[in-house]
Amino acid sequence: MEYLLDHYKNPRNYGSLQNPDITHEEGNPSCGDVIRIDLKITDNKVQKVKFTGKGCAISQAAASILTDMIVDKDVDYIKEINKDDMLSALGVTLSPVRYKCGLLALKVLRSGVHGIKNWPGEEE
Ligand code: FES
């Protein structure tokens, strides 16, 4: 829990990019929390990433954790991050009602980069 709270209180990669190659914002319709992710992509790699958002501690901390995970990674790697990878990266076990909090950032990222619209874990 401390790891998650640290990311909430001291978010990594918080802010906006000037002239991002991709910018995408989406929310969780059930609560109205939103996350926007800006990306700079060079040679198919994530060169820079920033996010802004508002919402619960889990959704915002997850955005901080996820953005840290993808710096310098190939954009195809983003497609491979699945629900379980994201939930385990949080370092806490969420109850199923909070899954969407933990997965919102990944949803925004996959939707912005690959156009994948559904929630992680609901693609099958
Ligand atoms: Fe809205 Fe967590 S309560 S994403």
Side-chain angles (χ1 to χ4, degrees), residues 2-88:
E2 260 170 49
Y3 175 70
L4 193 81
L5 283 177
D6 179 50
H7 272 273
Y8 177 59
K9 289 183 190 151
N10 308 295
R12 320 315 190 245
N13 312 304
Y14 193 85
S16 304
L17 291 177
Q18 288 207 330
N19 306 316
D21 295 306
I22 294 171
T23 182
H24 190 70
E25 178 175 308
E26 265 184 66
N28 180 349
S30 61
C31 61
D33 293 355
V34 292
I35 289 172
R36 192 185 73 212
I37 296 180
D38 293 348
L39 296 145
K40 268 278 188 208
I41 309 281
T42 306
D43 294 334
N44 217 40
K45 264 194 193 332
V46 177
Q47 198 198 8
K48 285 186 192 156
V49 56
K50 295 267 190 191
F51 82 95
T52 54
K54 65 174 179 57
C56 69
I58 297 168
S59 68
Q60 304 304 304
S64 172
I65 292 166
L66 179 64
T67 51
D68 254 1
M69 282 164 65
I70 62 165
V71 178
D72 289 332
K73 294 287 192 320
D74 203 280
V75 294
D76 294 331
Y77 167 75
I78 290 164
K79 243 187 206 163
E80 288 168 20
I81 305 171
N82 63 28
K83 173 185 169 185
D84 294 336
D85 297 331
M86 184 70 240
L87 293 176
S88 67

